[in-house]
């Protein structure tokens, strides 16, 4: 029995590796497509999805870059309001939505803001922001996140009915996390695992 398992192990590992590479390639190509085709129609709000607030004692550029992308949408006249979604970080106890708010104000954004400070996952970002958006009378949303994150975001939006409740566009934030190879590599490597986890838990249905 043990000998059979040992013989089967290399084949199983190869299948897992090929599956991982296929998912990675899919999200990478999708990310490039989203970067090449930013939102072109005006919306009511930009919904910025959370990420770890601090890294190495400084604001995480993966998070602040998403905020910067949303501010750029506002300054271009594509959105009237920003919505920040993200709860307490387990690493440092900071609330992601509040860190995003602080960065936006420090960057000179003086427009209206809404905070969703409870969610702990991408799925919760969408589900917990929905009643907030509905209460504000929002009809059109631009969801802002990291380029390699958007493939999963779009499928979660479809599975949860978020994109049926609102007219949704997606904006890939060209953050330094995407532009710097090391950070992009780490994020893109983790994302296939998150996709598998979401699929196993039935979140894409």
């Amino acid at each position: 029995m043990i000998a059979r398992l040992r013989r089967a192990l290399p084949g199983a590992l190869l299948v897992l590796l090929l599956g991982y590479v296929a998912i990675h390639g899919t999200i990478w190509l999708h990310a490039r497509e989203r970067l090449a085709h930013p939102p072109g129609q005006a919306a009511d709000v930009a919904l910025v999805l959370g990420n770890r607030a601090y890294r190495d004692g400084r604001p995480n550029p993966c998070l602040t870059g998403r905020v910067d992308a949303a501010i750029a949408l506002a300054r271009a006249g594509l959105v009237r309001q920003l919505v920040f979604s993200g709860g307490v970080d387990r690493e440092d106890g900071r609330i992601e939505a509040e860190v995003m708010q602080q960065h936006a104000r420090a960057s000179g954004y003086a427009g209206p803001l809404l905070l969703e400070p409870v969610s702990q996952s991408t799925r919760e970002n969408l589900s917990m922001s929905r009643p907030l958006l509905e209460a504000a009378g929002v009809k059109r949303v631009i969801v802002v996140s990291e380029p390699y994150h958007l493939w999963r975001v779009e499928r979660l939006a479809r599975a949860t009915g978020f994109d049926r409740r609102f007219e949704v566009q997606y904006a890939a934030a060209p953050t330094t996390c995407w532009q710097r190879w090391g950070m992009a590599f780490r994020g893109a490597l983790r994302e296939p695992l998150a996709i598998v986890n979401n699929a196993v838990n039935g979140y894409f249905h």
Side-chain angles (χ1 to χ4, degrees), residues 39 45-51 62-74 79 81-85 100 122 125-126 141-147 149-150 153 162 168-175:
V45 303
L47 172 61
V48 186
L49 306 186
N51 198 337
C62 303
L63 184 65
T64 57
R66 297 180 187 190
V67 177
D68 292 338
I71 292 173
L73 291 172
V79 297
Q81 186 173 26
L82 305 186
V83 181
F84 299 140
S85 176
M100 288 191 275
T122 301
N125 287 151
L126 297 172
V141 180
I142 297 177
V143 179
V144 182
S145 192
E146 210 71 35
H149 188 207
L150 286 177
V153 172
F162 187 89
V168 183
Q169 300 177 80
Y170 298 92
T175 71

Side-chain angles (χ1 to χ4, degrees), residues 133-173:
L133 298 172
E134 290 175 339
V138 169
K139 304 297 183 184
R140 299 175 301 275
V141 180
I142 297 177
V143 179
V144 182
S145 192
E146 210 71 35
Y148 50 71
H149 188 207
L150 286 177
W151 189 93
R152 180 161 58 101
V153 172
E154 292 176 34
R155 276 141 192 86
L156 288 171
R158 189 177 307 141
T160 60
F162 187 89
D163 66 356
R164 293 190 295 274
R165 177 60 185 83
F166 307 103
E167 182 182 321
V168 183
Q169 300 177 80
Y170 298 92

Side-chain angles (χ1 to χ4, degrees), residues 57-138:
R58 293 176 293 180
N60 181 9
C62 303
L63 184 65
T64 57
R66 297 180 187 190
V67 177
D68 292 338
I71 292 173
L73 291 172
R75 288 175 175 166
L78 288 173
V79 297
R80 301 194 307 268
Q81 186 173 26
L82 305 186
V83 181
F84 299 140
S85 176
V88 177
D89 275 349
R90 296 185 179 90
E91 294 90 350
D92 55 25
R94 289 182 171 90
I95 296 175
E96 295 169 3
E98 292 181 354
V99 172
M100 288 191 275
Q101 178 187 37
Q102 292 162 8
H103 179 73
R105 293 308 190 201
S107 299
Y109 175 76
L113 289 171
L114 287 174
L115 303 185
E116 182 288 296
V118 179
S119 57
Q120 293 292 318
S121 67
T122 301
R123 185 167 176 259
E124 289 186 358
N125 287 151
L126 297 172
S127 64
M128 292 184 176
S129 295
R130 177 171 175 167
L132 191 69
L133 298 172
E134 290 175 339
V138 169

